[in-house]
Amino acid sequence: FVGNSTYLDDHGPPPQKVLPFPSQVVYNRVGKCGSRTVVLLLRILSEKHGFNLVTSDIHNKTRLTKNEQMELIKNISTAEQPYLFTRHVHFLNFSRFGGDQPVYINIIRDPVNRFLSNYFFRRFGDWRGEQNHMIRTPSMRQEERYLDINVCILENYPECSNPRLFYIIPYFCGQHPRCREPGEWALERAKLNVNENFLLVGILEELEDVLLLLERFLPHYFKDVLSIYKNPEHRKLGNLTVTVKKTVPSPEAIQILYQRMRYEYEFYYYVKEQFHLLKRKFGLKSHVRKPRPRPEFFIPSPLETEEPIDDEEEDDEKWLEDIYKR
């Protein structure tokens, strides 16, 4: 004790680490919405900027029991700050269990494109290894693996109907059982959480602008993210996460998907509108184009994701196009 008091007399209290604000960030990443690309970037950024990147090996458990929620929240809350925690998990309400509510970020994309990307990824993997799908879905029978997407949709297979198609909204609605039921209640609760708990929900089709805004809002996590993203070496890595063997469903099948996913689309358009308002506020321009008609009146060519907002001198590596067609 004597030595300690002498130290305090001579030097004052030991200096405390000054934490940036916010120092607790959760990226509860939506599947097949560019999250592997963003996590690649976060690995580089965490080393560069010295924040604690906390990832999870659990990829297929998004809904948790009350005890599992408490346990996960406790584990996240005790991580060394500043931290960024990322996992495929539906929104967790930290304050409900007495924890500090972290800042949330996320990215979503056109719901039909997301569904198609997942459908083929589960069957055939990506360019990181033609056989990795066998490891990912080893119990999938051959007839299921090669099930025609049109048959799946038109004949109402479980994988291509609700509630499986009600996928994006629960990530924002949360852990309540009603968050899994396609309907107005879950939709409205998801919108409310976006407004109250998410610093930013970006649109994958405009990923460069998402990264720009993340850099502006969370510089201690995302400073220089765009230059890393545009670096040719990183681009090579990104091309490995492109899903293979995609085929395009018929217009009739697409129209049925749109009808089944109407709540997902209402949420997607809401988030997109908020994102564009934010971009305008910070002086980022969107391409001037006619707004897309709502799905009921429009049969698009799927996988024809809106072009990203990029520079005139964008090179011809087709990097962004590939990223968006994952």
Side-chain angles (χ1 to χ4, degrees), residues 136-205:
R136 190 172 296 279
T137 50
S139 60
M140 190 181 276
R141 299 190 313 278
Q142 283 299 89
E143 60 265 31
E144 188 186 350
R145 194 176 300 283
Y146 291 96
L147 174 64
D148 183 282
I149 183 79
N150 292 302
V151 172
C152 184
I153 296 164
L154 297 173
E155 297 188 13
N156 219 8
Y157 279 68
E159 188 179 355
C160 298
S161 13
N162 276 316
R164 299 266 188 94
L165 293 179
F166 193 68
Y167 182 87
I168 297 171
I169 286 173
Y171 274 89
F172 299 88
C173 177
Q175 296 288 337
H176 192 288
R178 287 187 72 185
C179 288
R180 304 166 207 171
E181 297 167 11
E184 290 290 334
W185 189 89
L187 169 67
E188 291 308 317
R189 183 158 165 157
K191 287 181 185 174
L192 189 69
N193 274 333
V194 166
N195 295 338
E196 293 185 351
N197 291 298
F198 282 80
L199 177 69
L200 179 70
V201 183
I203 298 293
L204 181 63
E205 292 85 351

Side-chain angles (χ1 to χ4, degrees), residues 69 116 135 147 188 285:
Q69 289 177 58
L116 293 173
I135 301 159
L147 174 64
E188 291 308 317
K285 287 182 182 164

